[in-house]
């Protein structure tokens, strides 16, 4: 189901009128179209299945026993509570069982799941679940660190704060394994 841009344009015009603005005035006349175009981009993940991105894996003979960690994956999502953006960094690790995937697939999975109305907590869990289901690894660890527009611009107005969430599966649920990966994440750039 594609985003209904016409309905978004009407809704944005109504919001502008509801706050006392003239949606037809110079400077605002193109805003409904711009917002509709932005929402189509922000929510493109609604039409995508992250599992499709993990189908092109490479089989490996037996467990490699080695961790795959991709640090500092930039992402953006839209908080479903206020429809404001949250921007952050994802760190994704998995311990392959019998297959690996191209490293470029990991950011694609993050972006696909982030491109939906989201909560950071659920986003973290859904990324971990997608990797667990799609790659059948021995373990998965996902850490997200994000700054939320709703926290920085309204209510508490804590522009410098960030939220960290973590989800782990399989052998990477073990505290020692998690601590080792967290140390590797922290050692990054």
């Amino acid at each position: 189901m594609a985003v209904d841009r016409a309905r978004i344009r009407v809704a944005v015009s109504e919001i502008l009128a509801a706050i006392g603005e003239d949606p037809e005035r110079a400077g605002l006349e193109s805003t409904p179209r711009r917002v509709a175009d932005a929402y189509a981009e922000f929510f493109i993940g609604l039409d995508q299945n992250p599992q499709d991105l993990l189908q092109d894996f490479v089989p490996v003979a037996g467990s490699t026993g080695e961790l795959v960690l991709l640090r500092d994956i930039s992402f953006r999502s839209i908080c479903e509570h206020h429809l404001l953006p949250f921007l952050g960094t994802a760190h994704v690790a998995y311990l392959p069982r019998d297959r690996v995937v191209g490293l470029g697939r990991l950011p694609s999975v993050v972006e696909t799941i982030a491109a939906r109305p989201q909560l950071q907590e659920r986003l973290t869990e859904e990324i971990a679940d997608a990797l667990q289901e799609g790659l059948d690894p021995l373990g998965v660890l996902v850490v997200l660190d994000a700054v939320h527009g709703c926290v920085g611009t309204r209510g508490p107005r804590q522009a410098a704060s960030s939220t960290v969430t973590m989800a782990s599966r399989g052998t990477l649920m073990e505290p020692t394994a998690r601590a080792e990966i967290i140390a590797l994440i922290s050692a990054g750039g």
Side-chain angles (χ1 to χ4, degrees), residues 150-184:
C150 55
V151 175
T153 61
R154 59 166 307 281
R157 294 187 185 162
Q158 296 299 308
S161 70
S162 71
T163 301
V164 177
T165 51
M166 181 171 61
S168 54
R169 305 287 184 270
T171 58
L172 298 186
M173 292 176 72
E174 182 131 350
T176 304
R178 280 198 319 236
E180 182 180 343
I181 296 167
I182 300 283
L184 287 170

Side-chain angles (χ1 to χ4, degrees), residues 67 69 71 179-188:
L67 180 75
L69 168 62
R71 295 186 298 220
E180 182 180 343
I181 296 167
I182 300 283
L184 287 170
I185 290 169
S186 297

Side-chain angles (χ1 to χ4, degrees), residues 16-103:
L16 290 170
I19 65 169
E21 274 289 355
D22 174 6
E24 300 299 321
R25 82 163 167 80
L28 286 179
E29 73 276 358
S30 296
T31 297
R33 179 191 48 79
R34 288 185 185 115
V35 172
D37 290 347
Y39 274 32
E41 182 180 337
F42 294 159
F43 300 126
I44 196 166
L46 290 168
D47 291 332
Q48 298 175 339
N49 181 348
Q51 293 305 318
D52 294 343
L53 300 167
L54 299 172
Q55 296 303 310
D56 191 21
F57 59 81
V58 176
V60 292
S63 173
T64 66
E66 297 297 327
L67 180 75
V68 175
L69 168 62
L70 190 58
R71 295 186 298 220
D72 301 326
I73 301 168
S74 296
F75 74 90
R76 65 131 201 287
S77 193
I78 302 294
C79 171
E80 67 184 35
H81 290 158
H82 302 101
L83 295 180
L84 291 172
F86 62 97
L87 309 172
T89 303
H91 311 283
V92 176
Y94 71 100
L95 188 58
R97 181 185 312 273
D98 59 3
R99 58 185 119 163
V100 294
V101 69
L103 293 177

Side-chain angles (χ1 to χ4, degrees), residues 74-155:
S74 296
F75 74 90
R76 65 131 201 287
S77 193
I78 302 294
C79 171
E80 67 184 35
H81 290 158
H82 302 101
L83 295 180
L84 291 172
F86 62 97
L87 309 172
T89 303
H91 311 283
V92 176
Y94 71 100
L95 188 58
R97 181 185 312 273
D98 59 3
R99 58 185 119 163
V100 294
V101 69
L103 293 177
R105 297 298 181 150
L106 300 177
S108 296
V109 167
V110 171
E111 279 298 318
T112 296
I113 299 171
R116 305 169 179 177
Q118 273 292 7
L119 299 173
Q120 182 175 332
E121 298 88 342
R122 186 175 65 232
L123 175 59
T124 310
E125 295 290 334
E126 288 180 354
I127 294 167
D129 289 343
L131 295 174
Q132 187 66 43
E133 182 181 327
L135 297 177
D136 189 34
L138 297 170
V140 171
L141 180 70
V142 176
V143 179
L144 301 185
D145 186 353
V147 176
H148 290 252
C150 55
V151 175
T153 61
R154 59 166 307 281

